[in-house]
Amino acid sequence: MSFCFNFDLPALTTNPDGDDGYKVQKEKIETAAKSTEDDIKPAVPLKEAKEHLPLSDPQFILRDAVTESVTIGTLPPLHFLNETVFEKTASEREDDERILSRTAEQKSDLISGVYEGGLKVWECTYDLLELIEKDGETFGGKAVLDLGCGAGLLGILALQRGARQVHFQDYNSTVIEQLTVPNVIINCQEENEVDSDDDKDGRGKGKMKEEDGCKKEGKDKEDEKYGNPPPKKKATDLSQQPLLAKCRFFSGDWCTFLALVEQENPQPKYDLIFTSETIYNTAYYPSLHKTLHKLLAPDGLVYVATKSHYFGVGGGLHLFETFVEQRGIFSLDHLWDGEEGLQRHVVVLRFIKQRALK
């Protein structure tokens, strides 16, 4: 099954100010940014947020699960359900939202307000993982939110490297139930197996090969090349997974997600918020910004991985920077800027101190 990449088309100039469409978008952003957060109205009908509990018995969802793995530098391997196999078995999966069938029918990676792209691991996620590896972040004792998590790789890494708690949020409940939760369980299981192997013979297992700065398990790729499926993961006993107790899972739009967690006492505050490829639609900026504002700890950091521009949807880093600047809540600094092809970036947001102290 092939999918079209709706908003990732070649070549955009680094300075799009001469484009009339861009100027119109920028004016809309500036107007929206001047409104107060209490005035925010949802861009699409609300998708009520809810919390998802991991299955007490994951035997069905993980039975014969086919995975692939990626390792970046010195980071531990990250395992996730194979995208191709996932697509081919879509009809066998529970999907009350019907996003699996609708994306297949429309051959689309994005249906705004219906499906927000969470079934695909987007390129910028790997950019952020590489930056984390370079900076040597360990996450020890920190509360982490993977916002717009999709496959959940960023949150899973934080979990593996000592985070105190990791919360995962995605727009679609099907993504959380059929992809994020299984991926977390698979990695918890793998972590235990690696620890057991290390205890026995003093080393980890798995032959790796490097591709473009990432290492992927060579046998998986060779098997796929010659028509053999990647290895299957056995289901696991959740009672034996202490890392899973640190996780919570949520679906719904950002407005209702924020309202849901704000009801808790104490309200969660996150030391780190990761969000990758979530600023593609300018209509979502007000609710995203409010969520970041309300949930980030005073000294916390928000890491945003993104493209310069998303064709067909209209958002991108330039417009998001304008919005953030107009709001005056966060400072925004570039951590990494890619120069090849459709430009990609990783930026960090932190509170402007005088605002944080009020």
Side-chain angles (χ1 to χ4, degrees):
M1 182 187 309
S2 62
F3 288 84
C4 63
F5 195 7
N6 285 357
F7 44 86
D8 188 359
L9 302 177
L12 171 77
T13 57
T14 56
N15 181 13
D17 292 333
D19 181 79
D20 289 340
Y22 177 85
K23 288 182 178 179
V24 171
Q25 283 276 44
K26 188 173 182 180
E27 289 172 0
K28 290 181 180 179
I29 287 293
E30 290 173 347
T31 301
K34 290 175 183 176
S35 63
T36 66
E37 288 184 337
D38 293 334
D39 294 334
I40 291 175
K41 293 183 174 63
V44 295
L46 292 174
K47 188 174 185 64
E48 200 64 35
K50 62 180 179 179
E51 183 169 3
H52 299 256
L53 299 178
L55 298 174
S56 57
D57 180 8
Q59 292 286 337
F60 176 76
I61 202 167
L62 289 181
R63 186 190 306 131
D64 297 331
V66 178
T67 66
E68 57 184 299
S69 304
V70 61
T71 300
I72 296 177
T74 59
L75 297 181
L78 297 172
H79 311 281
F80 52 100
L81 294 181
N82 179 275
E83 185 177 331
T84 301
V85 175
F86 191 95
E87 291 171 2
K88 290 181 177 179
T89 58
S91 62
E92 304 170 13
R93 300 177 181 277
E94 288 188 21
D95 180 20
D96 293 338
E97 299 172 303
R98 291 192 60 246
I99 65 169
L100 298 173
S101 59
R102 292 179 69 174
T103 54
E105 291 166 2
Q106 299 186 27
K107 296 184 178 180
S108 175
D109 288 320
L110 176 69
I111 306 172
S112 184
V114 176
Y115 164 62
E116 299 293 345
L119 296 174
K120 181 181 178 70
V121 180
W122 298 95
E123 297 91 335
C124 292
T125 298
Y126 296 113
D127 297 333
L128 185 46
L129 287 169
E130 289 182 6
L131 184 70
I132 292 170
E133 193 272 338
K134 179 181 177 182
D135 289 350
E137 175 65 70
T138 60
F139 304 100
K142 293 181 179 178
V144 178
L145 172 62
D146 190 345
L147 192 67
C149 62
L153 298 188
L154 296 165
I156 290 169
L157 176 64
L159 186 66
Q160 290 177 330
R161 303 197 81 183
R164 172 170 50 87
Q165 64 180 23
V166 181
H167 294 175
F168 299 84
Q169 180 277 337
D170 196 89
Y171 184 81
N172 292 107
S173 59
T174 300
V175 171
I176 290 292
E177 293 172 351
Q178 296 292 325
L179 186 63
T180 314
V181 171
N183 285 346
V184 172
I185 293 173
I186 288 167
N187 281 274
C188 288
Q189 173 181 276
E190 191 72 19
E191 188 82 358
N192 282 352
E193 290 176 355
V194 169
D195 289 345
S196 176
D197 290 337
D198 288 348
D199 290 342
K200 290 178 181 178
D201 54 34
R203 58 181 176 82
K205 294 185 177 181
K207 183 178 179 181
M208 300 288 175
K209 65 178 181 180
E210 190 162 350
E211 297 178 358
D212 299 327
C214 303
K215 294 178 182 177
K216 297 195 175 183
E217 291 192 3
K219 190 176 187 308
D220 290 9
K221 293 302 174 181
E222 288 178 12
D223 284 343
E224 285 189 66
K225 179 179 178 182
Y226 294 107
N228 300 318
K232 296 178 178 180
K233 287 291 180 184
K234 298 178 181 179
T236 183
D237 180 0
L238 297 189
S239 65
Q240 304 300 315
Q241 307 301 327
L243 288 181
L244 197 60
K246 299 181 178 182
C247 300
R248 294 174 69 186
F249 304 90
F250 301 88
S251 67
D253 68 81
W254 288 323
C255 286
T256 61
F257 165 64
L258 176 60
L260 179 63
V261 297
E262 281 186 319
Q263 295 174 11
E264 300 183 6
N265 187 18
Q267 177 189 321
K269 293 284 187 178
Y270 301 99
D271 303 298
L272 295 170
I273 299 178
F274 293 122
T275 190
S276 176
E277 308 243 25
T278 54
I279 61 171
Y280 53 85
N281 192 332
T282 59
Y284 301 159
Y285 289 1
S287 58
L288 173 60
H289 189 280
K290 182 178 181 180
T291 300
L292 299 177
H293 181 192
K294 297 297 184 180
L295 296 184
L296 187 66
D299 293 323
L301 299 173
V302 179
Y303 289 91
V304 181
T306 181
K307 297 183 176 73
S308 295
H309 187 78
Y310 292 89
F311 288 85
V313 188
L317 182 57
H318 302 299
L319 291 170
F320 186 68
E321 283 184 290
T322 298
F323 186 90
V324 169
E325 181 180 354
Q326 290 286 335
R327 284 289 190 185
I329 302 294
F330 296 108
S331 63
L332 185 153
D333 297 298
H334 286 236
L335 298 178
W336 176 82
D337 299 292
E339 299 297 333
E340 297 181 359
L342 186 61
Q343 292 183 344
R344 306 197 303 268
H345 311 269
V346 178
V347 300
V348 62
L349 277 63
R350 52 173 61 85
F351 282 116
I352 298 172
K353 288 302 182 183
Q354 60 266 33
R355 290 278 187 175
L357 295 174
K358 288 184 179 180

